[in-house]
Amino acid sequence: MALSDKPIGIFDSGLGGLTVVKAVLENMPNENIIYLGDSLNVPYGDKTSGQITEFAFNNTKFLLSKGVKAIAIACNTADATSRREILQCFDIPVVGVISPASERAARLTKNKKVGVIATATAVKSGAYERAVKSYLSDCQVFSEAAPALVPLIEAGKINKTDTETVDALSSYICPLIEKGIDTLVLGCTHYPLVLEIVKELFPDINIVCSGTSSLGALYDRLKGDNLLNVSGKKGEVRFYVTGEPSYFEKNGGLFLGTSIEGKVEKAVI
Ligand code: DGL
């Protein structure tokens, strides 16, 4: 098999990385994908950097064992804490989410005030502030940790009628609006699952989704390394989770807009 025909490995702590899978399926339909949701350890956002790096290494090794040609870290928290170590220890192209999302936010903001909501560990790392300022040095970056969101989203509470989710989003984003931001980064790949609620609550700001923003970087990296799948065949996706496949099948299928019932395998890592 040509190296370019091999799958892209994508990992996250759970459902969030499906926002990247969806973007790849829609824009690079020939690519094969191996997706790993480390649902046994979700949420990553309240764990230490050391713990997350250990999970990220295990995820990377699992994907490598499946013969992937490149890895997309579809998790801001793992990108913030572990990307450098992964690059140092594994000889494979690796693309993250923080740098592409920051570049997009820096391009979109008119008043140079960018807000970020992300997990507690991602906020604590300061990775978004550094990345946005690397593209727009005099930009003000305001961050809010949003610890309630990932558990709510993993529990499938992603509808406008889920008041807990709506209230949590308001409580995290309102303080950023008060700071005068004109652009908000959803700095966790889980958050686009509630994008419609965010848009409805805050219709006047630019919203940047970290997962979809990474698509261009992934494409460029694959193209640059001659790894784009040009077979002309429709790609296939294989889903693995470290926890129970059933909840992932239900909520993941809803998000992807296609049933993945019976298609999620248990990963032993
Ligand atoms: N989706 C992940 C992120 O982008 C991880 C969320 C979590 O597990 O806390 O940060």
Side-chain angles (χ1 to χ4, degrees):
M1 182 196 272
L3 188 56
S4 56
D5 290 349
K6 294 194 168 189
I8 302 168
I10 301 179
F11 78 80
D12 179 44
S13 60
L15 288 166
L18 292 181
T19 56
V20 178
V21 172
K22 194 170 185 214
V24 174
L25 288 174
E26 285 168 0
N27 295 282
M28 303 197 272
N30 296 332
E31 295 297 337
N32 297 299
I33 297 171
I34 305 276
Y35 182 77
L36 174 64
D38 186 14
S39 50
L40 203 61
N41 295 308
V42 72
Y44 279 6
D46 61 2
K47 311 282 189 312
T48 65
S49 295
Q51 286 173 306
I52 297 162
T53 301
E54 194 183 326
F55 301 149
F57 268 50
N58 289 339
N59 298 342
T60 303
K61 284 183 199 156
F62 175 82
L63 292 172
L64 287 173
S65 77
K66 298 288 173 197
V68 300
K69 62 183 175 186
I71 290 191
I73 306 177
C75 173
N76 291 263
T77 315
D79 189 5
T81 54
S82 321
R83 183 155 173 264
R84 210 180 35 209
E85 285 84 347
I86 293 174
L87 284 170
Q88 275 165 1
C89 296
F90 300 95
D91 185 19
I92 186 160
V94 177
V95 174
V97 279
I98 293 177
S99 179
S102 300
E103 184 179 9
R104 186 160 164 69
R107 243 187 302 120
L108 283 175
T109 182
K110 295 271 181 291
N111 69 1
K112 300 185 179 176
K113 289 186 182 182
V114 168
V116 180
I117 54 169
T119 68
T121 303
V123 167
K124 198 165 148 218
S125 75
Y128 262 105
E129 278 90 334
R130 286 193 296 279
V132 174
K133 282 171 186 283
S134 75
Y135 293 107
L136 188 63
S137 58
D138 56 345
C139 187
Q140 285 182 279
V141 183
F142 304 99
S143 303
E144 278 285 327
L149 290 180
V150 168
L152 286 167
I153 292 166
E154 285 285 326
K157 296 188 178 169
I158 57 175
N159 300 306
K160 289 173 194 168
T161 46
D162 293 313
T163 47
E164 253 180 295
T165 307
V166 176
D167 291 349
L169 283 166
S170 298
S171 75
Y172 297 135
I173 301 172
C174 284
L176 300 172
I177 300 287
E178 280 162 22
K179 298 259 190 321
I181 62 155
D182 69 353
T183 301
L184 174 71
V185 180
L186 302 186
C188 170
T189 52
H190 279 70
Y191 302 166
L193 279 91
V194 291
L195 176 63
E196 291 313 312
I197 307 178
V198 179
K199 278 189 187 162
E200 200 160 293
L201 290 172
F202 305 99
D204 300 328
I205 51 170
N206 303 309
I207 297 170
V208 175
C209 294
S210 51
T212 41
S213 299
S214 70
L215 190 73
L218 181 61
Y219 178 88
D220 290 348
R221 183 65 205 258
L222 293 178
K223 192 168 165 40
D225 288 0
N226 252 334
L227 287 175
L228 277 180
N229 190 322
V230 288
S231 65
K233 281 190 252 154
K234 192 173 159 16
E236 286 175 9
V237 193
R238 294 183 70 175
F239 298 97
Y240 292 89
V241 287
T242 51
E244 254 318 299
S246 54
Y247 92 95
F248 186 91
E249 288 180 345
K250 184 167 159 276
N251 295 327
L254 279 178
F255 175 70
L256 287 171
T258 168
S259 171
I260 53 171
E261 217 60 46
K263 290 190 189 157
V264 181
E265 295 169 58
K266 177 121 177 161
V268 183
I269 62 176

